[in-house]
Protein backbone atom coordinates (compact mmCIF):
# COMPACT_ATOMS: atom_id res chain seq x y z
CA UNK A 1 0.00 0.00 0.00
CA UNK A 2 2.36 2.67 -1.22
CA UNK A 3 2.11 6.36 -1.71
CA UNK A 4 0.57 7.67 -4.91
CA UNK A 5 2.48 10.01 -7.17
CA UNK A 6 0.45 12.62 -9.03
CA UNK A 7 -2.30 12.98 -6.45
CA UNK A 8 -0.37 12.73 -3.17
CA UNK A 9 -0.87 15.90 -1.13
CA UNK A 10 -0.35 14.62 2.42
CA UNK A 11 0.07 11.01 3.41
CA UNK A 12 -1.78 9.77 0.34
CA UNK A 13 -0.98 6.10 0.01
CA UNK A 14 -1.34 3.98 -3.09
CA UNK A 15 -2.57 0.44 -2.49
CA UNK A 16 -2.25 -0.68 -5.75
CA UNK A 17 -0.82 -0.92 -8.70
CA UNK A 18 5.25 -5.48 -21.47
CA UNK A 19 7.66 -7.52 -19.86
CA UNK A 20 8.46 -5.21 -22.65
CA UNK A 21 11.57 -3.15 -22.00
CA UNK A 22 11.87 -0.25 -24.41
CA UNK A 23 15.07 1.77 -24.59
CA UNK A 24 15.89 4.59 -26.97
CA UNK A 25 19.28 6.14 -26.44
CA UNK A 26 22.25 7.26 -28.47
CA UNK A 27 25.09 5.81 -26.38
CA UNK A 28 23.83 3.09 -24.03
CA UNK A 29 26.02 0.57 -22.29
CA UNK A 30 26.17 -2.43 -24.57
CA UNK A 31 26.13 -5.69 -22.66
CA UNK A 32 27.90 -7.95 -25.18
CA UNK A 33 31.54 -7.67 -24.22
CA UNK A 34 31.19 -3.99 -23.42
CA UNK A 35 31.08 -3.10 -27.14
CA UNK A 36 29.00 -0.19 -28.43
CA UNK A 37 28.12 -0.37 -32.15
CA UNK A 38 29.66 2.50 -34.07
CA UNK A 39 28.10 3.95 -37.21
CA UNK A 40 27.92 3.13 -40.04
CA UNK A 41 25.78 0.13 -39.13
CA UNK A 42 26.54 -2.55 -41.70
CA UNK A 43 23.65 -4.82 -40.74
CA UNK A 44 22.01 -3.14 -43.75
CA UNK A 45 23.42 -2.99 -47.28
CA UNK A 46 23.23 0.19 -49.31
CA UNK A 47 19.64 0.76 -50.38
CA UNK A 48 18.83 3.74 -52.58
CA UNK A 49 20.00 6.92 -50.90
CA UNK A 50 20.87 5.08 -47.65
CA UNK A 51 24.44 3.69 -47.59
CA UNK A 52 23.67 1.66 -44.43
CA UNK A 53 21.14 1.37 -41.59
CA UNK A 54 19.59 4.58 -40.30
CA UNK A 55 18.33 2.63 -37.27
CA UNK A 56 20.00 -0.38 -35.61
CA UNK A 57 18.10 -2.56 -33.14
CA UNK A 58 20.36 -4.69 -30.95
CA UNK A 59 18.88 -7.62 -29.01
CA UNK A 60 20.99 -7.71 -25.84
CA UNK A 61 22.01 -10.69 -23.74
CA UNK A 62 19.58 -9.63 -20.99
CA UNK A 63 16.66 -9.81 -23.44
CA UNK A 64 16.21 -6.05 -23.89
CA UNK A 65 16.55 -4.17 -27.16
CA UNK A 66 18.80 -1.13 -27.55
CA UNK A 67 18.08 1.34 -30.34
CA UNK A 68 20.87 3.19 -32.16
CA UNK A 69 20.46 5.92 -34.78
CA UNK A 70 22.91 7.14 -37.40
CA UNK A 71 22.11 10.82 -37.96
CA UNK A 72 24.14 10.85 -41.19
CA UNK A 73 21.81 8.38 -42.93
CA UNK A 74 18.56 9.74 -44.30
CA UNK A 75 15.55 8.03 -45.89
CA UNK A 76 16.56 5.42 -48.46
CA UNK A 77 13.94 6.77 -50.88
CA UNK A 78 15.21 10.31 -50.40
CA UNK A 79 11.89 11.27 -48.90
CA UNK A 80 10.24 9.51 -45.98
CA UNK A 81 11.19 5.84 -45.46
CA UNK A 82 13.74 4.37 -43.06
CA UNK A 83 16.14 1.45 -43.40
CA UNK A 84 16.30 -0.57 -40.17
CA UNK A 85 18.79 -3.26 -39.17
CA UNK A 86 18.55 -5.76 -36.33
CA UNK A 87 21.45 -7.65 -34.75
CA UNK A 88 21.02 -10.50 -32.27
CA UNK A 89 23.51 -10.62 -29.40
CA UNK A 90 21.16 -12.32 -26.94
CA UNK A 91 22.94 -15.66 -26.91
CA UNK A 92 19.89 -17.49 -28.31
CA UNK A 93 17.69 -17.46 -31.40
CA UNK A 94 15.08 -14.70 -31.63
CA UNK A 95 11.73 -15.40 -33.28
CA UNK A 96 10.11 -11.94 -33.24
CA UNK A 97 10.40 -8.37 -32.06
CA UNK A 98 7.92 -5.52 -31.99
CA UNK A 99 8.58 -1.88 -32.82
CA UNK A 100 6.43 1.09 -31.84
CA UNK A 101 6.54 4.77 -32.71
CA UNK A 102 3.74 6.84 -31.20
CA UNK A 103 2.17 8.96 -33.94
CA UNK A 104 4.76 7.75 -36.50
CA UNK A 105 2.59 5.70 -38.85
CA UNK A 106 5.55 3.34 -39.25
CA UNK A 107 3.24 0.52 -40.38
CA UNK A 108 1.49 2.66 -43.01
CA UNK A 109 3.01 0.66 -45.86
CA UNK A 110 2.08 2.68 -48.94
CA UNK A 111 3.92 0.78 -51.66
CA UNK A 112 7.35 2.43 -51.75
CA UNK A 113 9.25 -0.09 -49.61
CA UNK A 114 12.86 -1.08 -50.10
CA UNK A 115 11.86 -3.62 -52.77
CA UNK A 116 10.94 -0.72 -55.06
CA UNK A 117 14.55 0.46 -54.84
CA UNK A 118 16.44 -2.86 -54.91
CA UNK A 119 15.58 -6.29 -56.29
CA UNK A 120 14.26 -8.48 -53.46
CA UNK A 121 14.94 -12.18 -53.96
CA UNK A 122 12.82 -13.09 -50.92
CA UNK A 123 9.10 -13.10 -50.14
CA UNK A 124 8.05 -9.48 -49.46
CA UNK A 125 4.26 -9.05 -49.61
CA UNK A 126 4.36 -5.38 -48.59
CA UNK A 127 7.68 -4.61 -50.28
CA UNK A 128 9.10 -3.40 -46.97
CA UNK A 129 10.33 -6.79 -45.70
CA UNK A 130 14.01 -7.69 -45.74
CA UNK A 131 15.61 -11.16 -45.81
CA UNK A 132 14.10 -13.60 -43.28
CA UNK A 133 11.51 -11.08 -42.12
CA UNK A 134 7.73 -10.91 -42.22
CA UNK A 135 5.34 -8.38 -40.72
CA UNK A 136 2.29 -8.65 -38.50
CA UNK A 137 0.14 -5.57 -37.94
CA UNK A 138 -3.13 -4.87 -36.18
CA UNK A 139 -5.89 -3.35 -38.36
CA UNK A 140 -6.32 0.34 -37.60
CA UNK A 141 -3.00 0.54 -35.72
CA UNK A 142 -0.34 2.27 -37.82
CA UNK A 143 2.14 2.84 -34.98
CA UNK A 144 3.01 -0.79 -34.18
CA UNK A 145 4.52 -3.57 -36.23
CA UNK A 146 5.63 -7.08 -35.32
CA UNK A 147 8.68 -8.34 -37.19
CA UNK A 148 8.87 -12.12 -37.34
CA UNK A 149 11.95 -14.08 -38.35
CA UNK A 150 10.55 -17.21 -40.07
CA UNK A 151 13.89 -19.04 -39.91
CA UNK A 152 14.68 -17.40 -36.52
CA UNK A 153 17.42 -14.82 -36.15
CA UNK A 154 20.38 -16.77 -34.83
CA UNK A 155 22.76 -15.38 -32.22
CA UNK A 156 25.51 -13.15 -33.68
CA UNK A 157 23.56 -12.62 -36.93
CA UNK A 158 21.78 -9.66 -38.51
CA UNK A 159 19.07 -8.80 -41.00
CA UNK A 160 17.24 -5.69 -42.12
CA UNK A 161 13.88 -4.30 -43.27
CA UNK A 162 12.25 -0.95 -43.93
CA UNK A 163 9.60 1.10 -42.16
CA UNK A 164 7.46 4.02 -43.20
CA UNK A 165 8.44 7.51 -42.12
CA UNK A 166 11.57 9.40 -41.20
CA UNK A 167 12.32 7.65 -37.91
CA UNK A 168 14.88 8.34 -35.18
CA UNK A 169 15.85 6.40 -32.07
CA UNK A 170 13.89 8.90 -30.00
CA UNK A 171 10.76 8.10 -32.00
CA UNK A 172 10.91 4.36 -31.42
CA UNK A 173 10.58 1.76 -28.72
CA UNK A 174 11.26 -1.91 -29.28
CA UNK A 175 10.93 -5.16 -27.37
CA UNK A 176 11.24 -8.89 -27.95
CA UNK A 177 8.06 -10.83 -28.60
CA UNK A 178 4.80 -10.38 -30.44
CA UNK A 179 2.13 -7.69 -30.57
CA UNK A 180 -0.47 -10.13 -29.27
CA UNK A 181 0.93 -11.05 -25.87
CA UNK A 182 0.11 -14.48 -24.47
CA UNK A 183 0.45 -13.16 -20.91
CA UNK A 184 -0.92 -9.78 -19.85
CA UNK A 185 -0.03 -8.50 -16.36
CA UNK A 186 -2.53 -5.82 -15.30
CA UNK A 187 -3.32 -4.17 -11.99
CA UNK A 188 -2.23 -1.62 -9.42
CA UNK A 189 0.99 -1.01 -7.48
CA UNK A 190 0.98 -4.44 -5.84
CA UNK A 191 1.06 -5.87 -9.37
CA UNK A 192 3.52 -3.27 -10.64
CA UNK A 193 6.00 -4.01 -7.85
CA UNK A 194 6.10 -0.54 -6.29
CA UNK A 195 9.02 -0.10 -3.92
CA UNK A 196 11.29 -2.56 -5.70
CA UNK A 197 13.47 -0.34 -7.87
CA UNK A 198 15.09 -0.01 -10.34
CA UNK A 199 11.92 0.10 -12.44
CA UNK A 200 11.51 -0.43 -16.14
CA UNK A 201 12.75 2.74 -17.79
CA UNK A 202 9.51 3.84 -19.45
CA UNK A 203 7.62 3.54 -16.15
CA UNK A 204 9.94 5.77 -14.12
CA UNK A 205 10.11 9.13 -15.86
CA UNK A 206 9.03 12.67 -15.07
CA UNK A 207 5.67 11.97 -16.75
CA UNK A 208 5.17 8.30 -15.92
CA UNK A 209 5.40 6.93 -12.40
CA UNK A 210 3.75 3.55 -12.94
CA UNK A 211 6.90 1.98 -11.43
CA UNK A 212 6.85 -1.47 -13.04
CA UNK A 213 9.55 -3.59 -11.41
CA UNK A 214 11.36 -6.53 -13.04
CA UNK A 215 11.02 -8.37 -9.71
CA UNK A 216 7.25 -7.93 -9.44
CA UNK A 217 5.35 -11.21 -9.28
CA UNK A 218 4.30 -11.24 -12.96
CA UNK A 219 7.82 -11.10 -14.49
CA UNK A 220 8.98 -13.69 -11.97
CA UNK A 221 5.98 -15.92 -12.75
CA UNK A 222 6.81 -15.66 -16.45
CA UNK A 223 10.45 -16.60 -15.90
CA UNK A 224 9.81 -19.50 -13.52
CA UNK A 225 6.51 -21.06 -14.53
CA UNK A 226 5.09 -19.66 -17.78
CA UNK A 227 6.12 -21.94 -20.65
CA UNK A 228 5.32 -19.54 -23.51
CA UNK A 229 8.33 -17.84 -25.10
CA UNK A 230 7.23 -14.22 -24.79
CA UNK A 231 7.43 -12.19 -21.56
CA UNK A 232 4.22 -10.68 -20.18
CA UNK A 233 2.83 -7.47 -21.56
CA UNK A 234 3.27 -5.54 -18.34
CA UNK A 235 0.65 -2.77 -18.04
CA UNK A 236 0.10 -2.67 -14.26
CA UNK A 237 0.51 0.83 -12.85
CA UNK A 238 1.04 2.17 -9.35
CA UNK A 239 -2.01 4.10 -8.21
CA UNK A 240 -4.37 2.45 -10.71
CA UNK A 241 -8.10 2.22 -10.01
CA UNK A 242 -10.62 -0.11 -11.63
CA UNK A 243 -11.62 2.61 -14.12
CA UNK A 244 -8.07 2.49 -15.51
CA UNK A 245 -9.01 -0.83 -17.04
CA UNK A 246 -11.37 0.90 -19.48
CA UNK A 247 -10.07 4.49 -19.61
CA UNK A 248 -6.67 6.14 -19.90
CA UNK A 249 -4.70 6.32 -16.67
CA UNK A 250 -6.52 8.52 -14.14
CA UNK A 251 -3.32 9.96 -12.63
CA UNK A 252 -2.09 11.19 -16.00
CA UNK A 253 0.84 8.80 -16.39
CA UNK A 254 2.15 8.66 -19.94
CA UNK A 255 4.85 9.78 -22.34
CA UNK A 256 5.47 12.63 -24.78
CA UNK A 257 6.12 11.58 -28.37
CA UNK A 258 8.64 13.13 -30.74
CA UNK A 259 6.09 15.72 -31.81
CA UNK A 260 5.56 16.93 -28.25
CA UNK A 261 2.15 15.25 -27.99
CA UNK A 262 1.42 13.68 -24.62
CA UNK A 263 0.19 10.07 -24.91
CA UNK A 264 -1.37 8.76 -21.67
CA UNK A 265 -1.04 5.17 -20.53
CA UNK A 266 -3.77 3.35 -22.44
CA UNK A 267 -6.67 1.53 -20.79
CA UNK A 268 -5.19 -1.67 -19.42
CA UNK A 269 -7.81 -3.81 -21.17
CA UNK A 270 -6.38 -2.61 -24.50
CA UNK A 271 -3.49 -5.04 -23.97
CA UNK A 272 -5.83 -8.03 -24.27
CA UNK A 273 -6.54 -9.91 -27.50
CA UNK A 274 -8.16 -13.16 -28.52
CA UNK A 275 -4.66 -14.70 -28.38
CA UNK A 276 -4.12 -13.85 -24.70
CA UNK A 277 -3.71 -17.02 -22.65
CA UNK A 278 -3.04 -15.66 -19.14
CA UNK A 279 -4.17 -12.54 -17.27
CA UNK A 280 -2.99 -11.60 -13.76
CA UNK A 281 -3.98 -8.65 -11.58
CA UNK A 282 -4.60 -7.09 -8.20
CA UNK A 283 -7.08 -4.24 -8.28
CA UNK A 284 -9.48 -2.38 -6.01
CA UNK A 285 -7.36 -1.09 -3.16
CA UNK A 286 -7.19 2.42 -4.57
CA UNK A 287 -10.93 2.40 -5.26
CA UNK A 288 -11.51 1.72 -1.56
CA UNK A 289 -9.34 4.71 -0.73
CA UNK A 290 -7.02 2.79 1.57
CA UNK A 291 -4.35 5.39 0.85
CA UNK A 292 -6.42 8.03 2.64
CA UNK A 293 -7.73 5.61 5.25
CA UNK A 294 -4.27 4.49 6.24
CA UNK A 295 -3.04 8.06 6.42
CA UNK A 296 -5.90 8.83 8.79
CA UNK A 297 -5.18 5.82 10.99
CA UNK A 298 -1.52 6.52 11.63
CA UNK A 299 -0.50 8.09 14.94
CA UNK A 300 2.45 10.45 15.25
CA UNK A 301 4.47 10.75 18.47
CA UNK A 302 2.46 13.74 19.67
CA UNK A 303 -0.96 12.04 19.48
CA UNK A 304 -2.56 9.73 21.99
CA UNK A 305 -5.10 8.37 19.51
CA UNK A 306 -5.71 8.21 15.78
CA UNK A 307 -7.34 11.34 14.32
CA UNK A 308 -10.87 10.08 13.75
CA UNK A 309 -9.78 7.20 11.55
CA UNK A 310 -12.73 4.82 11.84
CA UNK A 311 -15.32 7.52 12.51
CA UNK A 312 -14.39 9.31 9.31
CA UNK A 313 -13.98 6.37 6.98
CA UNK A 314 -16.24 3.47 8.04
CA UNK A 315 -19.29 4.46 5.96
CA UNK A 316 -17.25 5.52 2.93
CA UNK A 317 -15.21 2.33 2.86
CA UNK A 318 -18.34 0.21 3.31
CA UNK A 319 -20.05 1.88 0.32
CA UNK A 320 -16.98 1.40 -1.86
CA UNK A 321 -16.62 -2.26 -0.97
CA UNK A 322 -20.30 -2.73 -1.78
CA UNK A 323 -19.66 -1.09 -5.16
CA UNK A 324 -16.90 -3.63 -5.80
CA UNK A 325 -19.49 -6.31 -4.97
CA UNK A 326 -21.86 -4.79 -7.52
CA UNK A 327 -24.23 -3.19 -5.01
CA UNK A 328 -24.77 0.50 -5.73
CA UNK A 329 -22.76 2.90 -7.88
CA UNK A 330 -19.92 4.92 -6.39
CA UNK A 331 -17.72 7.50 -8.09
CA UNK A 332 -14.25 8.66 -7.16
CA UNK A 333 -13.45 12.32 -7.73
CA UNK A 334 -15.72 14.78 -9.47
CA UNK A 335 -16.14 16.68 -12.71
CA UNK A 336 -13.59 15.75 -15.37
CA UNK A 337 -11.75 13.73 -12.71
CA UNK A 338 -14.77 11.51 -11.98
CA UNK A 339 -14.27 7.73 -12.13
CA UNK A 340 -16.74 4.96 -11.39
CA UNK A 341 -15.83 1.95 -9.24
CA UNK A 342 -16.28 -1.16 -11.39
CA UNK A 343 -17.57 -4.32 -9.67
CA UNK A 344 -15.27 -7.33 -9.71
CA UNK A 345 -17.89 -9.30 -11.63
CA UNK A 346 -17.85 -6.64 -14.35
CA UNK A 347 -14.05 -6.65 -14.41
CA UNK A 348 -14.01 -10.40 -15.01
CA UNK A 349 -16.63 -10.10 -17.76
CA UNK A 350 -14.69 -7.30 -19.49
CA UNK A 351 -11.49 -9.36 -19.41
CA UNK A 352 -13.27 -12.44 -20.67
CA UNK A 353 -14.89 -10.54 -23.55
CA UNK A 354 -11.49 -9.42 -24.85
CA UNK A 355 -9.56 -12.58 -23.92
CA UNK A 356 -12.00 -15.47 -24.41
CA UNK A 357 -9.31 -18.16 -24.10
CA UNK A 358 -7.34 -16.77 -21.15
CA UNK A 359 -6.90 -18.09 -17.65
CA UNK A 360 -7.76 -15.17 -15.36
CA UNK A 361 -6.00 -14.98 -11.97
CA UNK A 362 -7.12 -12.25 -9.56
CA UNK A 363 -5.25 -11.86 -6.30
CA UNK A 364 -6.40 -10.44 -3.01
CA UNK A 365 -4.40 -8.26 -0.64
CA UNK A 366 -2.34 -9.16 2.44
CA UNK A 367 -3.21 -7.95 5.92
CA UNK A 368 -0.61 -5.28 6.67
CA UNK A 369 -1.02 -5.32 10.46
CA UNK A 370 -2.00 -8.43 12.38
CA UNK A 371 -3.74 -7.20 15.56
CA UNK A 372 -3.24 -10.58 17.27
CA UNK A 373 0.45 -9.68 17.53
CA UNK A 374 -0.07 -6.08 18.63
CA UNK A 375 -0.22 -5.44 22.39
CA UNK A 376 -1.27 -1.77 22.45
CA UNK A 377 0.12 -0.25 19.29
CA UNK A 378 2.51 -1.07 16.48
CA UNK A 379 5.38 0.99 15.11
CA UNK A 380 4.87 1.00 11.34
CA UNK A 381 7.63 3.37 10.29
CA UNK A 382 9.32 6.67 10.87
CA UNK A 383 9.18 10.35 10.08
CA UNK A 384 12.70 11.62 10.53
CA UNK A 385 13.68 10.67 14.08
CA UNK A 386 10.07 10.06 15.16
CA UNK A 387 8.22 6.77 15.17
CA UNK A 388 4.82 6.42 13.51
CA UNK A 389 2.39 3.94 15.03
CA UNK A 390 -1.03 2.39 14.51
CA UNK A 391 -3.29 1.54 17.43
CA UNK A 392 -4.43 -2.04 17.90
CA UNK A 393 -8.09 -1.02 17.52
CA UNK A 394 -7.40 0.66 14.18
CA UNK A 395 -5.25 -2.25 13.00
CA UNK A 396 -8.15 -4.57 13.82
CA UNK A 397 -10.56 -2.42 11.81
CA UNK A 398 -8.12 -2.21 8.88
CA UNK A 399 -7.81 -5.98 8.87
CA UNK A 400 -11.58 -6.41 8.60
CA UNK A 401 -11.64 -4.07 5.59
CA UNK A 402 -8.91 -6.01 3.77
CA UNK A 403 -10.77 -9.25 4.47
CA UNK A 404 -13.95 -7.67 3.11
CA UNK A 405 -12.20 -6.66 -0.14
CA UNK A 406 -10.74 -10.14 -0.52
CA UNK A 407 -14.18 -11.65 0.13
CA UNK A 408 -15.64 -9.48 -2.64
CA UNK A 409 -13.05 -10.83 -5.08
CA UNK A 410 -13.67 -14.42 -4.01
CA UNK A 411 -17.44 -14.00 -4.36
CA UNK A 412 -17.11 -12.62 -7.90
CA UNK A 413 -14.77 -15.46 -8.91
CA UNK A 414 -17.11 -18.06 -7.38
CA UNK A 415 -20.07 -16.59 -9.27
CA UNK A 416 -18.22 -16.75 -12.59
CA UNK A 417 -17.14 -20.33 -11.90
CA UNK A 418 -20.71 -21.33 -11.05
CA UNK A 419 -21.87 -19.68 -14.28
CA UNK A 420 -19.66 -22.04 -16.25
CA UNK A 421 -16.28 -20.33 -16.53
CA UNK A 422 -13.69 -22.69 -15.00
CA UNK A 423 -10.68 -20.53 -15.92
CA UNK A 424 -11.18 -17.73 -13.39
CA UNK A 425 -9.31 -18.17 -10.12
CA UNK A 426 -8.78 -16.32 -6.85
CA UNK A 427 -5.19 -16.04 -5.63
CA UNK A 428 -4.93 -15.96 -1.83
CA UNK A 429 -2.26 -13.46 -0.76
CA UNK A 430 -3.52 -13.03 2.81
CA UNK A 431 -2.69 -16.61 3.73
CA UNK A 432 0.75 -16.38 2.15
CA UNK A 433 1.62 -13.27 4.21
CA UNK A 434 0.51 -14.68 7.58
CA UNK A 435 3.31 -14.10 10.09
CA UNK A 436 4.94 -11.52 7.81
CA UNK A 437 2.90 -8.38 8.44
CA UNK A 438 4.36 -5.17 9.83
CA UNK A 439 5.24 -5.64 13.52
CA UNK A 440 5.91 -9.34 12.87
CA UNK A 441 9.50 -10.54 13.24
CA UNK A 442 10.07 -10.88 9.48
CA UNK A 443 7.71 -8.52 7.63
CA UNK A 444 7.32 -8.89 3.87
CA UNK A 445 5.98 -5.34 3.62
CA UNK A 446 8.05 -2.16 3.53
CA UNK A 447 7.51 0.12 6.56
CA UNK A 448 6.43 3.72 6.28
CA UNK A 449 9.23 6.17 5.64
CA UNK A 450 8.50 9.90 5.56
CA UNK A 451 11.32 12.07 4.28
CA UNK A 452 12.11 15.16 6.31
CA UNK A 453 11.65 17.52 3.40
CA UNK A 454 9.50 20.61 3.17
CA UNK A 455 6.78 19.67 2.63
CA UNK A 456 7.25 16.22 4.13
CA UNK A 457 7.12 13.49 1.50
CA UNK A 458 6.41 9.81 2.00
CA UNK A 459 8.44 7.19 0.17
CA UNK A 460 6.24 5.64 -2.52
CA UNK A 461 7.31 2.11 -1.61
CA UNK A 462 5.89 2.36 1.91
CA UNK A 463 3.40 -0.41 2.77
CA UNK A 464 4.13 -2.38 -0.42
CA UNK A 465 5.44 -5.96 -0.64
CA UNK A 466 9.20 -6.32 -0.43
CA UNK A 467 11.01 -8.64 -2.83
CA UNK A 468 10.16 -11.50 -0.46
CA UNK A 469 6.56 -10.35 -0.52
CA UNK A 470 6.56 -10.36 -4.32
CA UNK A 471 8.08 -13.85 -4.16
CA UNK A 472 5.18 -14.91 -1.96
CA UNK A 473 2.70 -13.49 -4.47
CA UNK A 474 4.48 -15.29 -7.31
CA UNK A 475 4.30 -18.61 -5.45
CA UNK A 476 0.54 -18.19 -4.93
CA UNK A 477 0.01 -17.32 -8.59
CA UNK A 478 2.10 -20.35 -9.59
CA UNK A 479 -0.21 -22.60 -7.50
CA UNK A 480 -3.26 -21.15 -9.23
CA UNK A 481 -1.58 -21.51 -12.61
CA UNK A 482 -1.35 -25.23 -11.97
Amino acid sequence: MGFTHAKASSLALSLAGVLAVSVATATPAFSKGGVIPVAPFHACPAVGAAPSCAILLVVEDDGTITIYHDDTVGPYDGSDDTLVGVTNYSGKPVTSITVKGAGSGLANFDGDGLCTVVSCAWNAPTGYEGPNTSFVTIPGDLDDVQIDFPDTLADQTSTYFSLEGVLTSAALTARPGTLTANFVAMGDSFSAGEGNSPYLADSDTSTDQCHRSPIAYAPMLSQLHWTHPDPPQFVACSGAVTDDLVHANWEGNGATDENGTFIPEAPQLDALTSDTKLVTLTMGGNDIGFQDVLAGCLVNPFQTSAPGCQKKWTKTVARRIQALRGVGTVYLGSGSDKHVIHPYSNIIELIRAKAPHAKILIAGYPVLFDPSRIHINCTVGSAGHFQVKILKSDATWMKTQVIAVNSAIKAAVAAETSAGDPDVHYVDAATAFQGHALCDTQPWVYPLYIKTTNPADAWVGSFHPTKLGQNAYEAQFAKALG
Side-chain angles (χ1 to χ4, degrees):
M1 303 178 188
F3 291 87
T4 55
H5 312 289
K7 295 181 179 293
S9 58
S10 56
L11 292 184
L13 303 169
S14 140
L15 229 189
V18 133
L19 180 64
V21 179
S22 301
V23 182
T25 178
T27 56
F30 185 45
S31 59
K32 200 72 174 181
V35 177
I36 297 176
V38 177
F41 306 130
H42 294 299
C44 307
V47 174
S52 54
C53 308
I55 297 284
L56 179 65
L57 310 176
V58 177
V59 186
E60 308 279 16
D61 58 10
D62 62 357
T64 63
I65 295 179
T66 306
I67 303 174
Y68 297 87
H69 183 240
D70 185 349
D71 293 329
T72 68
V73 178
Y76 61 84
D77 62 349
S79 175
D80 64 354
D81 290 343
T82 300
L83 191 61
V84 181
V86 55
T87 298
N88 179 18
Y89 282 136
S90 68
K92 59 185 178 182
V94 174
T95 58
S96 64
I97 63 173
T98 58
V99 180
K100 179 181 181 70
S104 66
L106 57 82
N108 186 25
F109 304 129
D110 59 5
D112 59 349
L114 65 88
C115 293
T116 64
V117 181
V118 299
S119 177
C120 294
W122 50 86
N123 185 35
T126 70
Y128 287 76
E129 295 89 347
N132 188 30
T133 65
S134 63
F135 295 150
V136 177
T137 58
I138 298 175
D141 182 358
L142 299 179
D143 294 341
D144 300 82
V145 62
Q146 172 182 321
I147 299 98
D148 289 336
F149 308 109
D151 298 324
T152 74
L153 185 65
D155 184 42
Q156 305 279 332
T157 64
S158 302
T159 190
Y160 61 96
F161 51 90
S162 58
L163 293 174
E164 192 70 33
V166 182
L167 304 175
T168 68
S169 60
L172 294 177
T173 59
R175 66 177 179 86
T178 62
L179 284 172
T180 53
N182 283 310
F183 177 3
V184 177
M186 305 193 298
D188 55 23
S189 62
F190 272 46
S191 299
E194 180 67 88
N196 295 290
S197 60
Y199 307 108
L200 301 184
D202 61 354
S203 70
D204 189 22
T205 69
S206 60
T207 60
D208 196 312
Q209 294 282 288
C210 282
H211 283 179
R212 290 183 276 265
S213 172
I215 60 171
Y217 66 75
M220 289 194 294
L221 182 69
S222 176
Q223 293 168 11
L224 297 174
H225 296 284
W226 186 236
T227 58
H228 293 260
D230 297 327
Q233 188 165 346
F234 199 5
V235 296
C237 184
S238 187
V241 296
T242 56
D243 204 36
D244 286 342
L245 295 171
V246 296
H247 294 108
N249 183 265
W250 83 311
E251 289 191 306
N253 288 294
T256 301
D257 68 14
E258 70 279 7
N259 297 317
T261 302
F262 182 76
I263 309 296
E265 291 249 344
Q268 293 188 21
L269 287 173
D270 283 5
L272 302 176
T273 73
S274 59
D275 292 327
T276 303
K277 299 297 187 295
L278 176 64
V279 179
T280 61
L281 75 156
T282 57
M283 189 68 87
N286 290 319
D287 297 78
I288 299 306
F290 276 163
Q291 64 271 31
D292 299 316
V293 173
L294 194 49
C297 286
L298 300 180
V299 180
N300 68 43
F302 308 106
Q303 295 171 310
T304 56
S305 63
C309 167
Q310 296 180 49
K311 181 179 179 181
K312 179 177 180 180
W313 287 106
T314 295
K315 290 183 179 180
T316 298
V317 170
R319 285 193 307 109
R320 293 177 178 181
I321 293 175
Q322 285 294 86
L324 288 174
R325 288 183 175 273
V327 179
T329 301
V330 175
Y331 292 91
L332 306 174
S334 60
S336 61
D337 196 28
K338 188 176 181 180
H339 304 271
V340 71
I341 294 178
H342 295 262
Y344 285 119
S345 57
N346 186 38
I347 291 171
I348 295 171
E349 290 168 0
L350 290 170
I351 294 172
R352 178 58 72 218
K354 298 201 70 173
H357 310 297
K359 177 173 284 190
I360 303 170
L361 307 182
I362 306 179
Y365 295 97
V367 174
L368 295 186
F369 326 104
D370 189 339
S372 68
R373 282 182 282 278
I374 299 176
H375 178 55
I376 298 175
N377 57 42
C378 165
T379 299
V380 299
S382 62
H385 298 294
F386 301 106
Q387 292 182 335
V388 179
K389 302 177 182 293
I390 188 169
L391 302 180
K392 181 173 183 176
S393 58
D394 290 329
T396 301
W397 179 73
M398 286 287 294
K399 178 179 180 179
T400 63
Q401 308 316 304
V402 174
I403 291 173
V405 172
N406 291 345
S407 296
I409 302 171
K410 285 189 280 188
V413 169
E416 292 299 317
T417 302
S418 298
D421 190 341
D423 282 331
V424 182
H425 302 272
Y426 173 72
V427 176
D428 184 4
T431 298
F433 276 73
Q434 284 181 356
H436 298 284
L438 286 171
C439 297
D440 288 335
T441 304
Q442 293 182 320
W444 288 347
V445 179
Y446 288 116
L448 170 69
Y449 171 63
I450 299 177
K451 306 170 189 176
T452 54
T453 54
N454 187 20
D457 187 21
W459 177 50
V460 294
S462 303
F463 300 114
H464 283 86
T466 63
K467 184 178 187 299
L468 290 176
Q470 288 291 338
N471 288 344
Y473 258 110
E474 185 278 328
Q476 294 300 94
F477 272 97
K479 288 180 183 178
L481 188 59

